[in-house]
Amino acid sequence: MCHRTSIGSLTRYSEPNGPILLPYFNHKASRSKIQVVKNQILQKKMAQEQQQQPHTSSSHVLIFPLPAQGHVNSMLKLAELLAHAGLKVTFLNSHFIHQQLLRHTDILSRFAKYAGFQFKTILDGVPNDHPRVGGDFVRKLFDGLELITKPLFKDMLVNSKPKVDCIIGDGVLGIALDIADDLGIPIIQFRTISACSLWAYFAIPDMIHAGELPIKDMDRLITSVPGMEAFLRCRDLPSFCRASDTKDSILQQLAQETRKNSEAHGLLLNTFEDLEGPILSHMRTKFPKIYTIGPLNLHLKTRLFKSDQTSSGPSSNSFREVDRSCLSWLDKQPKGSVVYVSFGSVAVLSREQVFEFWFGLVNSEKRFLLVLRPDNMAENGGGDDKGVSIPIELIEGTKKRGYRVSWAPQEEVLAHEAVGGFLTHSGWNSTLESVVEGVPMICWSYFADQQLNSRFVSKVWGLGLDMKDLCDREVVEKMVNELMVEKREEFVKSAAKMANYAKQCVTVGGSSYCNLDRLVEDIKLMNTNLGK
């Protein structure tokens, strides 16, 4: 609980035995002097508490995610699992991302119960006014991390008190591995994508050597990714593999960073053995110590409920304001009748693409819940869509059978009994959340690992349909009816079976449950503070 005391015109906040937020410096002129003073008090209080804190056997873990919604979401869940297990955790966020979390979530009060937990922030090199969506954002982000973040991160580790015993770095952040090696700090890399996508990234040099990249025929089978030779087409490769030049900087960086993951003390994956076991078997020939601890959303919920049966489970980690009115709308719909539609936090579509999806949903005559972010359409330039002229047929069709919000509480939506299908961008968190709730999917992949996820959902796991590279109202209408009517029984049966496997793996004795316990014990062995 947050305690509040007044000092003249100043209000001071402190969280006993819980997280201390290091100052977030916003250099805009509108930043109030009161906030600056408050941050200074918090910083001083944090320093005093750290000096007073005796050395204990509790290992100190620093978690550093890539500053993007999907990465931060899953790594916050990991952070809470480790804190729940008794480890001392520091969560390092970019200034921008942390401010978004403070605005839209309860992270301070949520983590207050974990002794020694703290948030720290760091610059990510991307201007605050950048929309942070679309493919161009990735290049700007990696450039900023290398030029701005890397030296700041090293300085932070050198001066950390208490010393960091183990880093869990986002596996695409090569800067974390480089600095950990320089300073002699053990590091475990966490890849927030699927194992199948990671394995494809690992095989990029082999595909180039075999002449399979650059791509010449989108429907040709790829033979250089072990375990996928029978079904992986060129169009199913991660989007960065579509570069016309194999020396493309992002393609090369992802390949190199993935290969470097094998140099870490271990590799963490948000997946489970029953879902990706065959691919994991191939991966273990290159990554000897893999911890599969997913699905993280279900794993965290299970552990929290086990220790406190009054717990309602983990809260939102969304960077955006959630519109919960959609849950009341869902309450009024028949069981399994609604198609939930969301393109994630980064995808940017053209106005034409958005309208094609929307017309397809209306024409399908099925109920739908449509999430359209204010910055979903490229024509808006990252702004809202108030100036967009929406066809009257879509307005009337949505009033009749649909509901539209700018952002939804996705885990709660997918868990709602009215939802019978998910039209998704195939981001890995979204895919796993759908798997956990047994909701069949229509996959329209946008970029990065999503192309490969959609292939596995349809061809390997039989959990839905793959609509990649198509954006036509007739195709949307056809696939919605196929998912919700024609093949519904088949997909529901497959999805229910996989959901049951997911639940089993995070219960006591399950593969992910045991792997998390093993991870915690391995981190404790890295504690360099013992005996000091």
Side-chain angles (χ1 to χ4, degrees), residues 14 138 169 229 255 258 363 428 456 488-489 508:
S14 62
V138 177
E229 299 90 343
T258 302
N363 294 344
W428 188 233
F456 269 71
R488 176 153 188 77
E489 186 176 343
V508 177

Side-chain angles (χ1 to χ4, degrees), residues 421-466:
F422 184 14
L423 200 170
T424 172
H425 68 304
S426 296
W428 188 233
N429 285 339
S430 294
T431 300
L432 281 180
E433 288 161 10
S434 202
V435 167
V436 164
E437 300 301 340
V439 177
M441 291 166 266
I442 298 173
C443 302
W444 188 79
S445 45
Y446 177 67
F447 83 140
D449 59 310
Q450 298 161 11
Q451 275 77 10
L452 215 144
N453 296 340
S454 65
R455 184 62 167 173
F456 269 71
V457 165
S458 63
K459 188 70 174 179
V460 180
W461 302 325
L463 302 177
L465 303 167
D466 189 355

Side-chain angles (χ1 to χ4, degrees), residues 330-345:
L330 285 172
D331 289 340
K332 302 171 186 174
Q333 310 309 314
K335 183 178 180 179
S337 66
V338 176
V339 179
Y340 169 56
V341 185
S342 176
F343 302 105
S345 60

